[in-house]
Amino acid sequence: MGTPSVVPLACANWVPGSVICKEKGKFACGNCNLVLYCGKECQTAHWVTHKIDCKSLVSKPSWRPAWDREGQDPAWAEGASRRNIHNPFGEHVYVWGNVPALDVLRLPDNEGITYDEKIELLFAASGDLRNVVKTINDLPATVTQPVHVTINDREFSVVARNAILLLFALNTPNIATADSIDPFDTAEALTHLWYSAFIPGKVLSSIQDVIKDLISDVCLKIACKDPTTFLGKTWHFPSGRSLRLVLNKEQWLMLEKMLDISQDLTYEKASKIRHAVVLAPERADYRDRWDFKEPTPFTRIAKHRFREDGLLLPFGHPRAGFDTPNITLFQNSKTWLMDDKLDPLDGWPIWDVLHRSSPAKEDRYGKSFAYIRDVLKLFLDRLATANVSFELYCLDARELKNSLGWNKYARIEVSNISDDCHIGCRETLASLSALLQPPERNPHATIVTLFLNAVMEMVKVVGADEMSNAAKILEYLTPNGLATFMKPQGAEMMRIWDARTFFFDVDRFFKLYSRHRDFDRISADLGVAEKESNTIVEKWPMRLKLQPGQEDAQEEFNVMLGSNFSGMERYVEWKRVV
């Protein structure tokens, strides 16, 4: 059975393996606002199926997590090692971004739109490609000079995915010629390749028909090389763009093998592997805790659907045809790469996604799909016109200075490897600052570091009262009387506890952190300085912006509490001074 295009939004009247209405969805279900129908007749016909979700107990405002309803202790109360709600369950590979994409260049606010020198960008611990995509998409029309993008991550799984996605995007003309996917559908295919656990078979066929030959050709030529020798291959495409991939022989062979794992991985087996992580029985209390924080009851239903099938699609869109395991997320036949909490919404500007106009206003995954598809369509358009080249590495960021040119990059973005749990601020800057253009060449050259854990580390160090701002929290959350406070492990108290980080005095704690980690000494030793004012990304992008009682303040709080953000995400921008 064919897979209907997601654009325009389809009528939700479909039953697996049976009739699918191919008309456009025009109006939403008035109760849930999750699905669209072409008319009353289809809505009536579909009700026997849709009512399971539309009238679900989970969709009721009165719903409570199972442990709370049953008066039981939740899973994290069973021992000290399980108290941290943020401990991931599953693999620890971040193949999706966990903070919103940013344009690392911001040319109009820095060098200026008349800047005409070659632009060199380094994503030293890239994670996925979202920052690359955002930066290319936001290039001013005045930029005609070459833009060279170096992308690195130490995780082979991440680099392999990024290479496949870029090769897929850059090979668009060849893919179209292969009669597998027409050019209009390429952005949609890229969206599923990036985020959906299962993809249409024609997408995998396109990868194997066009991309696998590129990789196999390299593997054939390096058959006699030493397994640890690094080897680079540059491909040039009809658009004039290029991509260079540098891996060692073992990694080249792993990439080739990855493109063939579909022979050993059925839909049933892949679903079982994924469900063992995202629907693990021992994590039921954790999932209920997250769901209880959702902004509205029906966004819980949308999240349930995404957990169950792993498809980034509008809620009411047919799932028929999405039956091929996504080889970039199942890079072997035994493992789901991610933990059970990562979400596609984490990696993009949350308000841009949620405020996107849609009749199905509660369908945030449908909105997310449409937003990302449009972003990737623009990316493909920019690749056809902008003078962009790419270079990919799989190295520890500390090794990059041995492979890349010094005094070269206008921007270096490092994710949160500057956190103490990774390589730390000093070592990050010591390893990468020499790669940044010096001030006499480009006074706007910047290293962008992200600290996800610094505030909480200082809260623990000083022994701060984490609930000192409880009164502010209660301006947003209305507890169920004294009973709430009599149940310290109850769902209401857990929601209040989870909200506390949005009310920390984050500026105070980060100042403590910068003194504790001796930022002044790092600057003096390494010839760098923290920029007084950020010009790339605001210092606290996930902080609450509105005050209680202001218009939209409650919506802002509800959305941020239901997200995977904490309000403690802190960006620091650095410049060279020598």
Side-chain angles (χ1 to χ4, degrees):
M1 185 175 294
T3 307
S5 174
V6 179
V7 179
L9 293 173
C11 175
N13 184 22
W14 62 273
V15 178
S18 184
V19 176
I20 295 178
C21 175
K22 297 184 178 180
E23 296 297 320
K24 179 180 178 179
K26 298 177 182 178
F27 68 91
C29 169
N31 184 54
C32 67
N33 283 296
L34 283 173
V35 298
L36 300 177
Y37 295 102
C38 64
K40 193 68 176 178
E41 184 177 344
C42 271
Q43 183 179 23
T44 301
H46 190 242
W47 176 243
V48 67
T49 298
H50 178 54
K51 69 179 180 181
I52 297 171
D53 295 315
C54 197
K55 297 297 184 180
S56 167
L57 291 176
V58 179
S59 72
K60 306 299 182 186
S62 59
W63 177 83
R64 291 292 184 274
W67 93 83
D68 190 66
R69 296 194 308 269
E70 296 163 6
Q72 303 294 321
D73 281 338
W76 52 87
E78 293 179 9
S81 64
R82 302 182 70 178
R83 289 185 186 275
N84 186 353
I85 187 68
H86 297 293
N87 285 342
F89 179 81
E91 295 296 306
H92 305 302
V93 182
Y94 285 85
V95 297
W96 296 342
N98 59 346
V99 289
L102 59 96
D103 170 10
V104 304
L105 194 55
R106 292 286 296 272
L107 204 62
D109 298 323
N110 292 278
E111 288 86 349
I113 61 175
T114 61
Y115 185 73
D116 60 1
E117 291 189 27
K118 181 180 181 181
I119 297 172
E120 294 271 7
L121 307 174
L122 170 60
F123 298 86
S126 66
D128 66 10
L129 294 171
R130 72 196 187 286
N131 292 336
V132 175
V133 170
K134 173 70 172 168
T135 303
I136 297 302
N137 283 3
D138 287 356
L139 286 173
T142 54
V143 172
T144 58
Q145 67 267 41
V147 179
H148 185 76
V149 182
T150 303
I151 306 166
N152 173 74
D153 200 280
R154 70 177 184 177
E155 288 282 354
F156 170 77
S157 302
V158 171
V159 177
R161 265 177 55 86
N162 290 345
I164 289 173
L165 285 163
L166 281 175
L167 285 170
F168 191 94
L170 291 164
N171 261 294
T172 296
N174 290 342
I175 291 170
T177 303
D179 197 31
S180 296
I181 300 176
D182 64 58
F184 184 79
D185 286 338
T186 303
E188 190 171 309
L190 275 169
T191 304
H192 291 306
L193 196 56
W194 198 324
Y195 285 109
S196 290
F198 301 94
I199 57 179
K202 65 179 182 179
V203 176
L204 179 60
S205 296
S206 296
I207 293 172
Q208 293 177 324
D209 291 347
V210 179
I211 297 175
K212 185 172 181 293
D213 287 346
L214 300 178
I215 306 303
S216 295
D217 182 59
V218 177
C219 292
L220 183 63
K221 292 177 180 177
I222 64 174
C224 297
K225 299 289 185 179
D226 184 274
T228 60
T229 301
F230 278 87
L231 305 143
K233 169 65 179 178
T234 302
W235 293 281
H236 297 274
F237 302 95
S239 62
R241 314 302 157 240
S242 67
L243 183 148
R244 178 171 176 79
L245 178 60
V246 181
L247 302 171
N248 63 36
K249 177 185 173 181
E250 182 180 7
Q251 291 167 337
W252 279 108
L253 296 175
M254 288 168 60
L255 181 56
E256 182 184 38
K257 184 177 181 180
M258 192 181 91
L259 292 166
D260 276 332
I261 65 162
S262 57
Q263 298 176 7
D264 303 316
L265 192 63
T266 64
Y267 173 85
E268 291 74 20
K269 183 177 180 180
S271 293
K272 185 176 181 179
I273 291 170
R274 180 179 171 274
H275 284 172
V277 175
V278 299
L279 294 176
E282 62 267 39
R283 296 286 282 184
D285 289 350
Y286 290 85
R287 291 192 295 273
D288 279 0
R289 180 174 177 173
W290 304 331
D291 291 351
F292 191 59
K293 298 187 298 177
E294 283 296 310
T296 69
F298 285 108
T299 56
R300 288 198 288 263
I301 299 297
K303 178 173 277 190
H304 278 214
R305 172 66 58 86
F306 183 72
R307 282 197 194 114
E308 288 168 358
D309 62 24
L311 302 181
L312 187 61
L313 283 169
F315 190 90
H317 190 272
R319 267 57 181 170
F322 288 84
D323 53 7
T324 301
N326 183 344
I327 60 171
T328 75
L329 297 177
F330 299 95
Q331 290 187 9
N332 58 56
S333 59
K334 299 178 181 178
T335 305
W336 173 248
L337 285 178
M338 291 176 286
D339 67 43
D340 60 343
K341 201 177 181 185
L342 283 183
D343 191 291
L345 280 168
D346 297 346
W348 301 97
I350 191 166
W351 295 109
D352 290 352
V353 174
L354 297 183
H355 286 167
R356 186 182 178 92
S357 178
S358 171
K361 62 183 181 181
E362 293 289 315
D363 183 13
R364 66 182 190 180
Y365 289 97
K367 289 182 178 182
S368 195
F369 168 83
Y371 175 87
I372 295 167
R373 181 194 177 279
D374 287 352
V375 166
L376 293 176
K377 180 65 169 65
L378 178 58
F379 181 62
L380 293 171
D381 292 342
R382 296 312 308 267
L383 290 183
T385 57
N387 187 2
V388 184
S389 58
F390 300 95
E391 191 168 6
L392 276 70
Y393 290 85
C394 185
L395 296 170
D396 186 291
R398 290 166 288 195
E399 300 172 357
L400 286 172
K401 60 186 176 183
N402 299 321
S403 302
L404 305 177
W406 288 30
N407 303 337
K408 180 177 180 180
Y409 294 97
R411 302 288 186 276
I412 301 176
E413 190 273 325
V414 303
S415 187
N416 71 313
I417 63 172
S418 51
D419 266 333
D420 292 346
C421 59
H422 296 297
I423 69 175
C425 185
R426 172 178 284 275
E427 194 159 0
T428 296
L429 295 173
S431 300
L432 298 172
S433 59
L435 303 179
L436 191 68
Q437 293 169 353
E440 63 270 18
R441 177 179 172 187
N442 182 357
H444 303 282
T446 302
I447 297 176
V448 182
T449 58
L450 169 63
F451 295 86
L452 295 179
N453 305 305
V455 169
M456 187 55 77
E457 287 178 18
M458 287 300 101
V459 169
K460 301 297 184 185
V461 165
V462 303
D465 177 4
E466 295 187 40
M467 292 301 294
S468 61
N469 289 317
K472 292 184 178 180
I473 301 173
L474 296 181
E475 292 186 66
Y476 291 96
L477 292 175
T478 305
N480 185 24
L482 187 62
T484 294
F485 301 100
M486 296 296 289
K487 295 174 62 178
Q489 295 284 3
E492 291 279 4
M493 272 305 295
M494 289 295 98
R495 185 161 60 175
I496 292 171
W497 174 258
D498 290 339
R500 76 198 188 286
T501 60
F502 289 102
F503 300 93
F504 284 167
D505 185 350
V506 290
D507 288 309
R508 172 194 165 216
F509 288 120
F510 196 78
K511 285 178 183 177
L512 288 173
Y513 181 86
S514 65
R515 290 201 294 268
H516 203 265
R517 298 298 183 268
D518 208 351
F519 278 17
D520 288 343
R521 174 53 55 189
I522 291 173
S523 297
D525 291 347
L526 300 179
V528 298
E530 182 179 350
K531 290 164 63 174
E532 291 184 10
S533 299
N534 284 10
T535 61
I536 306 298
V537 57
E538 61 180 300
K539 292 181 178 180
W540 302 99
M542 312 315 294
R543 199 173 178 177
L544 296 178
K545 307 295 193 298
L546 302 174
Q547 296 299 315
Q550 287 185 308
E551 185 178 1
D552 299 326
Q554 188 67 50
E555 180 194 12
E556 178 190 47
F557 172 80
N558 292 345
V559 167
M560 297 309 295
L561 179 61
S563 73
N564 285 330
F565 307 125
S566 67
M568 301 185 292
E569 297 84 356
R570 175 63 153 89
Y571 280 98
V572 178
E573 297 179 11
W574 304 84
K575 61 184 179 180
R576 282 181 58 175
V577 294
V578 295

